[in-house]
Amino acid sequence: MKKSLMIFAASTMLLFAACNKEESNGYTINGDKITFGLNMDDTQSSDKQTFAGNYKQIWFNSNDQIYVNQVAYNVVPQVSDDYFESTTSVSPLAKVTASVSADGRYDFVYPANAIQFDGTNYTATFPAQVQALNGATFNTFDNSIIRLVGDELPIWPMYYGITDIANQHNRIVLKNACAFLSPVFIYGPNWANKVFAPLTGVSYGANSPCPNFYLHEGRIMSNIKLHGAAHLDYSNMNQPIMVVDDAMPNSGRQVVLFTAPANQTIRENQNNTEVQNIAGIIPIAPAQNFDTKNFRMAFSFWTNLEIPATDTTAARTETIVMCFVTNASETTNPIMRNNRYAMEVNFQTLGENFGGYEGGLDSYVQNRGGIIHFGNGDLWVGNTVAGARAFLATYADMTE
């Protein structure tokens, strides 16, 4: 597997000034209450976060809450002319009114529904089995996006701090306290002609588009902490990060299971342009160090292939199930807060180390599948989900 170092800016949340004489400071004071304006990148639901893929942002929603100095307060979404989808129910803009701080310090922690304050720390848990977010549409952080029983909603913590309100002269910007992983697939005819052509008899290329196939779920294994109980470290207000407190397994590695967003399709690169088939967004705790980080990934897919008629069989549609396990890779680059990392999987070129079909091509065709050794990993092809899981369990060591 090639670990791509492409980095995309992740969403931030802005607390904009209220519209009054003190708007340059970002707040207004009325007696013992202080009101801040809020702004975010993506949408939220009735009491959950929401990620708006078209804006790559988190948005506020009705009944949403944010901690201000350890107390949860309601936020009130505001309509914005800059975001035509914004309403009084869901918007990247909002206001929150809290009690005035006696010492002028303010700590903002969001979202209150996914984060707890235990009297000392703000805590939350990164799930070991998570629903990945769709990076191209709105994702309401509730059960409506869960595809498989057992999956949990991702957490996306944010923080902003003010040491002294008298020195606050700019917009308040809530900062992401997590990093983000996104497996990305590059797909083309060389790969399709090794996997699908022996089964369909079609030579894929300019005149025969490659079949689309669909990502079901995946696993990411690493020697960094990918899930577990965590706390918010905001000792450096400019660099708030979530820190996983759970110990690593004795194996020295963790595996996070994720379900791809609904209808996640792997499409061919056409018109001489590369198509990045992004598998979703998975928030994790940052690993902001230069230690060696190991990664390995596994994915399951399915597709329907049109099988032509032969002398003995009629034309038919055949459902194919696949499981791909990447080779191990490593990097010493930090996994930084507020950055999204594209973990590229090459389904386009074969590379110099293409190992061919285990048991030979004739066996692959006769058995309607088998194991293919690519230069960047191994692919199992068959017609049952049970077969893919058996391959993953017996052929690939992808457990903690």
Side-chain angles (χ1 to χ4, degrees), residues 148-164:
L148 293 183
V149 175
D151 284 354
E152 296 184 43
L153 296 170
I155 63 168
W156 191 311
M158 307 173 99
Y159 168 84
Y160 185 79
I162 301 171
T163 55
D164 187 345

Side-chain angles (χ1 to χ4, degrees), residues 37-353:
L38 311 178
N39 182 358
M40 305 200 229
D41 288 349
D42 279 54
T43 326
Q44 290 177 291
S45 163
S46 60
D47 62 352
K48 308 282 186 182
Q49 276 175 290
T50 301
F51 174 78
N54 49 342
Y55 292 106
K56 299 297 182 284
Q57 300 170 339
I58 295 290
W59 284 20
F60 295 103
N61 60 269
S62 302
N63 302 322
D64 203 3
Q65 290 191 320
I66 184 172
Y67 287 106
V68 183
N69 291 346
Q70 305 169 6
V71 178
Y73 294 96
N74 292 334
V75 298
V76 181
Q78 305 290 303
V79 175
S80 169
D81 292 338
D82 294 328
Y83 300 88
F84 69 88
E85 297 98 334
S86 65
T87 68
T88 56
S89 297
V90 59
S91 176
L93 295 169
K95 291 183 179 180
V96 61
T97 299
S99 297
V100 170
S101 168
D103 61 5
R105 174 169 177 140
Y106 292 87
D107 293 296
F108 301 82
V109 180
Y110 177 85
N113 73 288
I115 298 173
Q116 301 78 45
F117 182 71
D118 63 9
T120 303
N121 293 314
Y122 293 98
T123 64
T125 299
F126 288 95
Q129 186 171 333
V130 65
Q131 172 65 58
L133 296 172
N134 190 330
T137 187
F138 279 13
N139 297 258
T140 299
F141 284 33
D142 63 16
N143 288 335
S144 66
I145 67 171
I146 296 292
R147 291 187 55 215
L148 293 183
V149 175
D151 284 354
E152 296 184 43
L153 296 170
I155 63 168
W156 191 311
M158 307 173 99
Y159 168 84
Y160 185 79
I162 301 171
T163 55
D164 187 345
I165 193 68
N167 299 324
Q168 180 66 28
H169 303 299
N170 300 307
R171 294 174 179 176
I172 299 168
V173 181
L174 280 174
K175 300 175 181 291
N176 290 316
C178 49
F180 310 90
L181 301 181
S182 286
V184 174
F185 301 89
I186 306 297
Y187 173 45
N190 285 344
W191 194 88
N193 281 325
K194 294 297 184 183
V195 178
F196 302 126
L199 306 179
T200 63
V202 176
S203 180
Y204 300 105
N207 298 321
S208 298
C210 299
N212 291 342
F213 57 102
Y214 307 93
L215 177 60
H216 181 56
E217 58 186 349
R219 301 180 182 214
I220 301 175
M221 182 173 69
S222 180
N223 65 335
I224 66 172
K225 294 179 179 179
L226 300 174
H227 60 80
H231 73 275
L232 176 65
D233 179 356
Y234 54 101
S235 55
N236 182 344
M237 287 183 171
N238 293 319
Q239 290 291 325
I241 59 171
M242 294 297 291
V243 178
V244 176
D245 300 310
D246 287 351
M248 290 289 285
N250 292 334
S251 63
R253 62 196 190 189
Q254 279 192 331
V255 178
V256 62
L257 284 71
F258 70 92
T259 301
N263 303 316
Q264 182 60 58
T265 306
I266 310 300
R267 295 181 173 86
E268 175 189 1
N269 312 323
Q270 296 178 337
N271 301 321
N272 297 318
T273 60
E274 285 195 332
V275 175
Q276 289 192 347
N277 299 278
I278 299 175
I281 300 172
I282 305 159
I284 65 167
Q288 301 186 150
N289 57 58
F290 291 94
D291 297 342
T292 299
K293 302 167 185 67
N294 301 312
F295 290 93
R296 198 175 183 212
M297 297 187 289
F299 308 94
S300 62
F301 311 90
W302 68 274
T303 189
N304 290 322
L305 297 181
E306 298 303 319
I307 309 299
T310 67
D311 292 341
T312 58
T313 61
R316 67 190 186 279
T317 299
E318 188 171 315
T319 299
I320 298 297
V321 179
M322 298 174 287
C323 180
F324 184 75
V325 180
T326 71
N327 296 336
S329 68
E330 64 180 37
T331 181
T332 57
N333 292 294
I335 307 297
M336 300 298 293
R337 176 196 72 79
N338 197 42
N339 285 287
R340 179 177 169 189
Y341 295 85
M343 308 177 74
E344 185 179 297
V345 180
N346 186 350
F347 284 173
Q348 179 171 250
T349 58
L350 303 182
E352 297 179 357
N353 298 317

Side-chain angles (χ1 to χ4, degrees), residues 318-322 367-368 380-387:
E318 188 171 315
T319 299
I320 298 297
V321 179
M322 298 174 287
N367 294 320
R368 312 306 294 162
W380 178 90
V381 180
N383 54 21
T384 66
V385 173

